[in-house]
């Protein structure tokens, strides 16, 4: 069957067809849809794990136990899962184990744009890089085969433009992989120093075998054309090269680690001038240069951000045009916009905003009012860093808010801690905030942690987590009790507040930052997008009573605007949270009754 | 048609740009050849600007459209139309809904919503088709069907058969909204001639 599939859905399809039996992930753009799609197949056990390390460990257990398994994560997720990965590279697998790393060049929704191909090289495991949805499916299936054939975890590396693009895919039927026998083999799976020492040479030897395989792997192919110019490329960059430089010879690498040295030498030797075109780091380029070959690459192609056909045209294209002017005469992609219209620079930006009725708003409004230092974390609530709320001081990685607050307190003293809170989402707390909180208790911090419990992983599209009471497939399950959990970690001051109640939030925060022991405030309210059906009475501005003081606009609510000197509420957008009514000094805002769309 | 057609769909989160992209790409797939769609929607639900890029033709490589390379831009909001105008080819067509949605800096008073954008764009683009999309969607039964009105307008410029459009809409739109959306599409299609 031919279907238009999202890259991530194609990965899921490939895993399904390859007979995967266990799949685990923690959500993260641009990888989330892989598990969401796998969860729809009843044959496959899928789960949202609390974090990526656990997800990979679950998948590893399944694979060593004999069932094909997959773990998926965004690029920074692999930092969390790097620990098991590095040693799984030594133990190898039993049934196939595929680790999907979805990188985000251009930082569409990430805190950095690290190039995770280096992890494959660090772990000495194969790295496959698909360039469209068909390859996403095909390479996923190949990854399972390679994993079993070479007894190694395999990295499938996607980038946003592959993971989040649709293209047509020829699909097939599922081939049941069955369960492989499980045999107890401590020297293979118990990585004591002595056993690890014995495994390391096998890793080296495996790399040599993989290299030999890479020479003839069908996913590495030469497209000979004009031999005056050759381009070595992989992943989405291949598409840009084909678009921008038609007619040049191309070595398209599907397996980007380890490199097929002979093939690369042959190609580079067979063309007049050889370029290497890849997004982000010179991962291929450095390895090619190590072979003693002279190529042109990152000296003209940016290491920062995404590439595009126009960017390839403007860098490699310009240089290559001098070598093949006859060919270049037909190149239609231009580095400069064809349009006469310059990009409009002075237009007001349209940044993402907290939704109307977002339960995070009241907390950040209060933190701003109290002028506190806020170590922040990652989730929808990171929008609390943007104007007009502007009340977050740091955001580094998931879970960091907690440890960093303790560090600040230890560096600057307890008095400083009276002006300091850490803020974290519920999913993020369960991901990696818990251990930081344990540190507060253990090492006598006096901090205040606010857990923004909106009952979901909102940022990535409302995935379940251990605190929601539902599994990835939507089945009811145990629901962790946050209050009990933080008490169990040793925090005795635990308060629950309603973030719509600004007075309560303010009084509680003031009290807790003043106490000299660790405390947790759980601000509990469902994500406004989940509770749309329950939308209550919306608010309205009473005619004539608005003073035009703009106090309500400090909430940064998209339902509120200022028209002809008066605050104005868009009834269609308003969610009825009532925060604007609470902050209005002249009681000009009241309930307008329920509005139906 | 032997060349690739590149279409940019732009709007504000919540305006249905992603669904419109889905319908368009399904119709393009039924038409034959290759289709690639790039959908960056990380923040779509949070009121940010949204863009979906659709390309189809006999052989499509890149899923993205360069500045100055779009044959059509379908904009569900005026400010977004202007923001993306530099992506239009000189001979390209801009289809723009007459709706203004103030972004946060305007709401908080940090900036003003620019005035006279439609007039400015008339002078800058090859062809501009201004569509009272909300009105037509309302007439079809729901302002939420705005995206289908705009696709209806676009459909006049594309070679897809009406039956393929219908099949694409049926596949992409949830059953309970199907009738309204089909009506909206037809109103847009009729409005464009
Ligand atoms: C290691 C890592 N994994 C995943 C992500 C992607 N991500 C960012 S925040 C977040 C979870 C947000 O959920 P929560 O903390 O509940 O906050 P909410 O968005 O619901 O406000 C995820 C999955 C990431 N940035 N880093």
């Amino acid at each position: 069957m031919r279907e238009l599939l999202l890259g991530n859905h194609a990965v899921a399809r490939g895993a399904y067809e390859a007979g995967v039996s266990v799949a685990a992930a923690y959500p993260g753009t641009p990888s989330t849809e892989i598990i969401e799609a796998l969860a729809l197949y009843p044959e496959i056990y899928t789960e949202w794990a609390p974090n990526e390390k656990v997800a990979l460990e679950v998948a590893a257990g399944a694979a060593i136990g004999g069932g094909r398994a997959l773990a998926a994560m965004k690029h920074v997720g692999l930092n969390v899962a790097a620990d098991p990965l590095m040693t799984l590279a030594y133990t190898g697998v039993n049934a196939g184990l595929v680790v999907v790393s979805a990188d985000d060049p251009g930082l569409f929704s990430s805190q950095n744009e690290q190039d995770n191909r280096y992890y494959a090289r660090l772990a000495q495991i194969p790295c496959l890089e698909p360039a469209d949805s068909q390859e996403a499916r095909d390479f996923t299936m190949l990854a399972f085969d390679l994993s079993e054939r070479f007894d190694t975890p395999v990295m499938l590396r996607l980038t946003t433009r592959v993971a989040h693009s649709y293209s047509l895919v020829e699909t097939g039927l599922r081939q049941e992989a069955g369960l492989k026998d499980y045999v107890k083999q401590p020297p293979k799976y118990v990585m004591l120093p002595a056993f690890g020492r014995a495994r390391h040479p096998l890793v080296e030897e495996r790399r040599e075998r993989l290299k030999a395989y890479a020479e003839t792997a069908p996913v590495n192919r030469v497209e000979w054309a004009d031999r005056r110019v050759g381009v070595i490329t992989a992943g989405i960059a291949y598409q840009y090269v084909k678009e921008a430089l038609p007619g040049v010879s191309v070595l398209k690498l599907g397996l980007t680690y380890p490199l097929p040295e002979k093939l690369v030498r042959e190609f580079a030797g067979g063309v007049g001038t050889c370029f290497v075109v890849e997004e982000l780091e010179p991962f291929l380029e450095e390895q090619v240069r190590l072979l003693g070959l002279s190529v042109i690459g990152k000296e003209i192609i940016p290491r920062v951000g995404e590439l595009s056909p126009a960017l390839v045209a403007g860098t490699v294209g310009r240089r290559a045009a001098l070598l093949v002017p006859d060919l270049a005469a037909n190149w239609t992609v231009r580095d400069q916009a064809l349009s006469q219209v310059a990009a409009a620079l002075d237009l007001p930006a349209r940044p993402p905003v907290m939704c109307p009725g977002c339960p995070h708003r009241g907390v950040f409004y209060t933190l701003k009012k109290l002028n506190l230092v806020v170590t922040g974390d990652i989730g929808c609530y990171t929008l609390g860093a943007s104007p007009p709320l502007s009340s977050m001081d740091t955001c580094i990685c998931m879970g960091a808010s907690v440890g960093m607050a303790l560090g600040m307190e230890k560096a600057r003293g307890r008095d400083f801690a009276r002006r300091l809170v850490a803020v974290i989402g519920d999913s993020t707390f369960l991901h990696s905030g818990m251990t930081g909180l344990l540190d507060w208790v253990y090492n006598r911090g006096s901090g205040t942690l606010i857990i923004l419990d909106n009952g979901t992983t909102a940022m990535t599209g409302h995935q379940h987590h251990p605190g929601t009471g539902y599994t990835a497939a939507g089945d009811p399950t145990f629901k962790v009790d946050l209050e009990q959990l933080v008490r169990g970690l040793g925090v005795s001051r635990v308060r629950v507040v309603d973030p719509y109640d600004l007075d309560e939030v303010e009084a509680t925060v003031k009290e807790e930052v003043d106490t000299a022991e660790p405390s947790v405030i759980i601000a509990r309210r469902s994500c406004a997008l989940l509770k749309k059906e329950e939308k209550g009475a919306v608010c309205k501005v009473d005619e004539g009573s608005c003073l035009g003081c703009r106090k309500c606009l400090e909430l940064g609510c998209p339902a509120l605007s200022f028209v002809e000197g008066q605050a104005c509420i868009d009834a269609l957008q308003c969610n009825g949270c009532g925060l604007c009514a609470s902050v209005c000094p002249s009681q000009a805002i009241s309930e307008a009754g329920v509005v139906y769309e | 048609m032997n060349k690739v057609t590149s279409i940019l769909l732009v709007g504000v989160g919540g305006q249905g740009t992603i669904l419109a992209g889905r319908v368009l790409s399904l119709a393009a797939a039924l038409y034959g050849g290759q289709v690639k769609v790039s959908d960056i929607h990380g923040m779509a639900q949070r009121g940010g600007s949204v863009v979906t890029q659709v390309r189809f033709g006999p052989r499509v490589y890149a899923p993205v459209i360069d500045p100055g390379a779009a044959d059509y831009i379908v904009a569900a909001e005026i400010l977004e139309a202007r923001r993306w105008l530099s992506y239009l080819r000189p001979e390209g067509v801009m289809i723009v809904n007459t709706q203004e949605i103030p972004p946060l800096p305007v709401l908080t008073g940090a900036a003003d919503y620019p005035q006279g954008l439609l007039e400015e764009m008339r002078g800058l683009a090859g062809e501009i088709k201004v569509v009272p999309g909300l009105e037509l969607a309302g007439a079809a039964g729901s302002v939420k069907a705005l995206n289908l009105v705009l696709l209806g307008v676009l459909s006049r410029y594309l070679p897809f058969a009406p039956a393929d459009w219908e099949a694409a809409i049926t596949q992409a739109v949830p059953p309970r909204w199907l009738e309204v959306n089909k009506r909206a599409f037809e109103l847009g299609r009729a409005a464009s001639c």
Side-chain angles (χ1 to χ4, degrees), chain A residues 161 165-166 339 350 353 458, chain B residues 37-38 46 62 80 83 88 101:
Chain A
R161 292 291 176 188
S165 290
Y166 289 83
S339 148
R350 194 182 295 278
V353 290
Chain B
V37 184
S38 179
R46 319 284 180 273
E80 295 310 307
R83 199 187 304 284
L88 197 63
I101 302 178

Side-chain angles (χ1 to χ4, degrees), chain A residues 221-300:
Chain A
R221 64 164 191 265
V222 176
E223 299 174 3
W224 286 119
D226 196 303
R227 294 204 179 210
R228 287 172 292 172
V229 171
V231 179
I232 300 173
T233 186
I236 196 69
Y238 164 79
Q239 310 288 6
Y240 302 157
V241 167
K242 293 297 280 187
E243 187 96 31
L245 316 169
V248 305
S249 293
V250 173
L251 169 56
K252 181 191 184 296
L253 295 173
L255 183 65
T256 52
Y257 190 83
L259 215 57
E261 292 179 3
K262 273 216 300 272
L263 187 64
V264 169
R265 274 183 207 285
E266 252 169 52
F267 180 78
V271 296
T273 303
C274 190
F275 295 86
V276 181
V277 179
E278 57 193 320
E279 265 178 346
L280 299 178
E281 303 303 322
F283 177 77
L284 298 172
E285 187 182 327
E286 282 174 350
Q287 296 181 71
V288 170
R289 285 186 199 275
L290 275 178
L291 301 178
L293 300 168
S294 122
V295 291
I296 304 174
K298 290 296 170 186
E299 64 265 50
I300 56 171

Side-chain angles (χ1 to χ4, degrees), chain A residues 26-28 52 74 76-77 80 111 360 378-381 398 425-428 431 454 456-460:
Chain A
Y26 179 75
E52 292 85 353
K74 71 181 288 162
V76 288
V80 179
Q111 64 267 39
H360 301 332
I378 309 190
C380 281
Y381 51 93
M398 288 187 70
D426 49 341
S427 185
T428 304
H431 175 281
N454 62 354
T456 187
T457 318
M459 176 84 185
T460 42

